[in-house]
Amino acid sequence: MPFLGQDWRSPGWRWIKTEDGWKRFEPFGSALEDGNSQLNDISHTVILTGDDEDEEIYTTEDCEYAAKKRKKDHCRNNTDSQCFYRENWIYVHKESTRERHGYCTLGEAFNRLDFSSAIQDIRRFNYVVKLLQLIAKSQLTSLSGAAQKNYFNILDKIVRKVIEDQYNPRLIKDLLQDLSSTLCILIRGVGKSVLVGNINIWICRLETILLWQQQLKNLQMNKQVNNGLTLSDLPLHMLSNILHRFSDGWDIITLGQVTPTLYMLSEDRQLWKKLCQYHFAEKQFCRHLILSEKGHIDWKLMYFALQKCYPIKEQYGDTLHFCRHCSILFWKDTGHPCTASDPNTCLMPVSPQHFIDLFKF
């Protein structure tokens, strides 16, 4: 029987494939090993403290205990140890087997999948933000302490990216508003132990959220200098075609505020009619008919009225996918080690809400 580790039940080392072949995965890096070697050296020395008269000598056993404690603190405070797994796919198991003990939780999936790098991809940015918003509304207390810490680390990166790149600040403002409302409610119920960690930590996090909200409120868009063709120089049919490709009514309104021409195009009844038909069914139209003064259907007002009552379709450049054959959750463009004869027939796109529902037992 091969040696796997100190515990015979251990799955052994984790290996990753590189250009030079398979190498053992070491999450803490060489820097931590150097620190560990230094701490181990300390355990074999005798520590002298106090004055010459009152000299206290610690035994080797006490030194080893102190060294282990410092080693643990070093691992806890080391910056490299704050990084979570960076994997593009995970196996979603919902029950215990002989090979696996326990089941995959929402917090484990959130830690193992590489959401920290996903926000740097413009195709995945909105997807991750929407997932964080849904977690903030209802699933924050179901996350483990490590997952909650990872949640706020990713949120910090998102806010810094929005402030630097000025990309979609409205979406982040909605996320922070929902998160601050949830934290205010949870902090009041701290006596029920609904939050992991000291109450002072969560108060500091709430203060950080309020600071982020103030920074986004004061965010000034940089005026870009265009020496060539601008959006206003495009013909009307091309501008209209651009507006018809938007799936969010607020984006249409925002673009319509740029120039008078775009405002005129953004008020087109056919544009809002197609938007309503894309998101909602005809039965829903009949329940929320809104007529204008001229007796026509006001499709723009109907869109926002229907949006309050029914969910709209979500569009993302890249989403997580679930393989029904392998029970693996993965990013589609990275793929996964599928064993099916025709993997494409087993794939199922996973929306942010569906991602949360996968881990409800």
Side-chain angles (χ1 to χ4, degrees):
M1 179 177 179
F3 179 74
L4 299 178
Q6 294 180 353
D7 188 348
W8 64 271
R9 296 166 297 180
S10 171
W13 295 102
R14 180 170 176 267
W15 297 81
I16 57 175
K17 189 175 183 180
T18 64
E19 296 179 355
D20 300 329
W22 289 88
K23 292 186 177 181
R24 194 175 69 191
F25 177 72
E26 299 176 356
F28 299 131
S30 59
L32 185 59
E33 291 182 356
D34 297 338
N36 292 343
S37 62
Q38 295 177 1
L39 295 174
N40 291 331
D41 294 339
I42 296 176
S43 64
H44 297 287
T45 61
V46 178
I47 302 175
L48 302 177
T49 61
D51 300 332
D52 294 337
E53 297 179 356
D54 299 324
E55 189 175 71
E56 182 177 1
I57 301 177
Y58 292 92
T59 62
T60 305
E61 184 179 354
D62 295 333
C63 294
E64 291 179 354
Y65 175 79
K68 288 181 179 180
K69 188 175 186 304
R70 285 192 296 270
K71 182 178 178 180
K72 184 184 293 185
D73 294 339
H74 180 79
C75 295
R76 187 174 300 169
N77 298 327
N78 191 277
T79 55
D80 294 338
S81 65
Q82 303 301 328
C83 299
F84 293 86
Y85 292 96
R86 293 187 174 183
E87 300 178 358
N88 294 318
W89 60 268
I90 61 169
Y91 173 71
V92 181
H93 52 105
K94 295 187 177 183
E95 57 184 7
S96 298
T97 62
R98 295 181 62 183
E99 293 78 13
R100 290 180 178 268
H101 177 68
Y103 51 87
C104 186
T105 63
L106 176 63
E108 181 182 357
F110 187 77
N111 284 342
R112 292 174 66 88
L113 287 172
D114 192 9
F115 288 111
S116 182
S117 298
I119 60 176
Q120 304 300 329
D121 191 336
I122 193 172
R123 299 171 303 168
R124 303 175 181 176
F125 183 83
N126 291 355
Y127 183 90
V128 178
V129 172
K130 183 62 176 180
L131 176 60
L132 263 63
Q133 187 175 13
L134 292 177
I135 292 176
K137 288 182 177 180
S138 60
Q139 300 297 320
L140 191 61
T141 56
S142 65
L143 298 180
S144 62
Q148 290 176 357
K149 188 174 184 179
N150 189 27
Y151 180 95
F152 282 92
N153 288 339
I154 295 176
L155 185 58
D156 178 52
K157 293 180 180 180
I158 290 176
V159 174
R160 282 192 276 116
K161 178 179 176 59
V162 172
I163 293 177
E164 294 173 1
D165 301 344
Q166 301 175 351
Y167 177 74
N168 207 345
R170 178 176 57 84
L171 190 62
I172 313 304
K173 290 179 181 178
D174 295 340
L175 166 59
L176 294 179
Q177 181 62 39
D178 292 336
L179 183 58
S180 61
S181 301
T182 301
L183 284 185
C184 289
I185 297 173
L186 295 178
I187 288 175
R188 295 193 192 102
V190 69
K192 301 178 181 178
S193 301
V194 294
L195 294 173
V196 179
N198 191 284
I199 182 62
N200 295 325
I201 297 176
W202 289 97
I203 293 177
C204 291
R205 286 174 176 173
L206 182 58
E207 292 175 352
T208 303
I209 294 172
L210 297 177
L211 177 61
W212 287 338
Q213 289 178 318
Q214 188 64 34
Q215 291 176 347
L216 292 175
K217 184 178 180 181
N218 299 332
L219 182 63
Q220 298 292 333
M221 295 295 179
N222 297 330
K223 187 176 181 180
Q224 299 181 359
V225 179
N226 297 315
N227 298 323
L229 188 67
T230 63
L231 187 65
S232 303
D233 298 328
L234 297 176
L236 291 179
H237 71 277
M238 293 186 66
L239 293 175
S240 178
N241 191 20
I242 292 174
L243 287 170
H244 277 79
R245 294 183 179 274
F246 283 17
S247 61
D248 191 340
W250 285 110
D251 291 337
I252 295 176
I253 293 178
T254 302
L255 185 59
Q257 296 173 349
V258 177
T259 62
T261 302
L262 288 172
Y263 175 77
M264 177 192 66
L265 295 174
S266 66
E267 294 294 321
D268 183 19
R269 291 181 64 253
Q270 292 299 321
L271 171 65
W272 291 98
K273 179 180 180 181
K274 291 183 178 180
L275 191 64
C276 290
Q277 291 175 343
Y278 172 76
H279 288 288
F280 310 106
E282 292 186 4
K283 294 181 179 180
Q284 298 170 343
F285 295 160
C286 301
R287 300 174 185 175
H288 301 274
L289 278 178
I290 301 177
L291 301 178
S292 63
E293 297 179 355
K294 297 181 180 180
H296 301 294
I297 298 177
D298 194 331
W299 293 103
K300 181 179 178 179
L301 292 179
M302 276 191 59
Y303 169 80
F304 291 104
L306 292 169
Q307 189 183 31
K308 296 179 181 178
C309 303
Y310 308 102
I312 62 175
K313 293 182 180 179
E314 299 175 356
Q315 284 187 340
Y316 304 102
D318 187 22
T319 67
L320 287 169
H321 277 64
F322 183 74
C323 179
R324 293 187 292 266
H325 177 77
C326 306
S327 296
I328 285 180
L329 192 64
F330 65 100
W331 292 104
K332 185 179 180 181
D333 62 343
T334 58
H336 75 289
C338 187
T339 58
S341 57
D342 189 3
N344 294 328
T345 59
C346 307
L347 303 185
M348 179 178 62
V350 178
S351 65
Q353 183 61 54
H354 187 197
F355 177 86
I356 295 177
D357 295 339
L358 278 175
F359 304 98
K360 289 182 178 180
F361 303 100

